[in-house]
Amino acid sequence: MNGLQLEGWFLWFILFWVVVLISLMGIGGFFMFRKFLKALPKQDGKSDLDWQEFYLDKTIHLWGQPEKEFLYELVSPVPELFRQVAKEKIAGKIGELALEEKAKAIDNDLIIRGYIQATPKRDHKFLRKKLDQMQIDVSPYEHLFD
């Protein structure tokens, strides 16, 4: 047999890349599966993404430029790759709160409450840190962190 023999450094090189590629495909598949689950319709016939878009469409006229900039500043710690998705999810939650409360406009209080509720609990420490950096008192919102 005069073929290619896998031994020495070449074997380790191939094994390294097999592990790297399988890991990357697993990570990508995990995020694709999560997105797929969010797109599945619930009992009411709409998916989480449909509701998010609904709330955004219904409240887009309530957003002013200062409020948009405030939201952009709050999501600045989110890695850039995920920032747009995070902004849309948070804005959808803010829109939901605005519709529930029949708000006439989106204000900073509504943005902070929506942001806290839309953020997973594991990320609350980063949110608290950002609010502290922006010198925003979180004591009125402590009940939302539970």
Side-chain angles (χ1 to χ4, degrees), residues 70 73-74 108-109 111-113 115-116 127-142 145:
F70 183 64
E73 178 65 26
L74 283 175
N108 288 354
D109 177 63
I111 292 172
I112 293 170
R113 287 188 290 126
Y115 194 179
I116 293 169
L127 175 56
R128 285 179 184 270
K129 182 178 177 183
K130 184 62 181 177
L131 291 171
D132 285 342
Q133 286 175 353
M134 296 177 72
Q135 298 176 345
I136 296 174
D137 181 27
V138 295
S139 58
Y141 310 105
E142 284 298 330
F145 283 107

Side-chain angles (χ1 to χ4, degrees), residues 115-128:
Y115 194 179
I116 293 169
Q117 291 178 14
T119 304
K121 293 203 181 300
R122 67 180 179 273
D123 295 335
H124 280 175
K125 62 181 175 185
F126 300 112
L127 175 56
R128 285 179 184 270

Side-chain angles (χ1 to χ4, degrees), residues 10-146:
F10 190 68
L11 171 66
W12 291 108
F13 177 76
I14 296 296
L15 289 176
F16 169 76
W17 280 110
V18 166
V19 170
V20 167
L21 291 176
I22 290 173
S23 300
L24 290 175
M25 286 191 297
I27 292 168
F30 170 75
F31 284 107
M32 288 177 63
F33 186 69
R34 282 183 52 189
K35 187 75 165 186
F36 170 74
L37 290 177
K38 288 181 182 181
L40 286 176
K42 305 290 185 215
Q43 290 177 346
D44 60 4
K46 286 190 174 189
S47 69
D48 290 342
L49 295 176
D50 292 336
W51 279 113
Q52 179 179 304
E53 187 176 331
F54 170 79
Y55 291 127
L56 286 172
D57 289 343
K58 288 290 186 187
T59 59
I60 193 72
H61 66 283
L62 300 177
W63 287 85
Q65 191 58 36
E67 288 77 23
K68 289 179 186 177
E69 290 173 6
F70 183 64
L71 179 60
Y72 295 153
E73 178 65 26
L74 283 175
V75 297
S76 63
V78 176
E80 193 168 341
L81 182 63
F82 306 108
R83 196 171 296 156
Q84 184 63 34
V85 174
K87 278 192 282 193
E88 290 172 3
K89 179 181 178 189
I90 294 164
K93 186 62 175 179
I94 294 167
E96 180 183 353
L97 292 174
L99 287 178
E100 285 175 2
E101 298 173 10
K102 296 176 177 58
K104 302 285 187 222
I106 303 292
D107 59 6
N108 288 354
D109 177 63
L110 201 56
I111 292 172
I112 293 170
R113 287 188 290 126
Y115 194 179
I116 293 169
Q117 291 178 14
T119 304
K121 293 203 181 300
R122 67 180 179 273
D123 295 335
H124 280 175
K125 62 181 175 185
F126 300 112
L127 175 56
R128 285 179 184 270
K129 182 178 177 183
K130 184 62 181 177
L131 291 171
D132 285 342
Q133 286 175 353
M134 296 177 72
Q135 298 176 345
I136 296 174
D137 181 27
V138 295
S139 58
Y141 310 105
E142 284 298 330
H143 65 284
L144 297 173
F145 283 107
D146 296 332

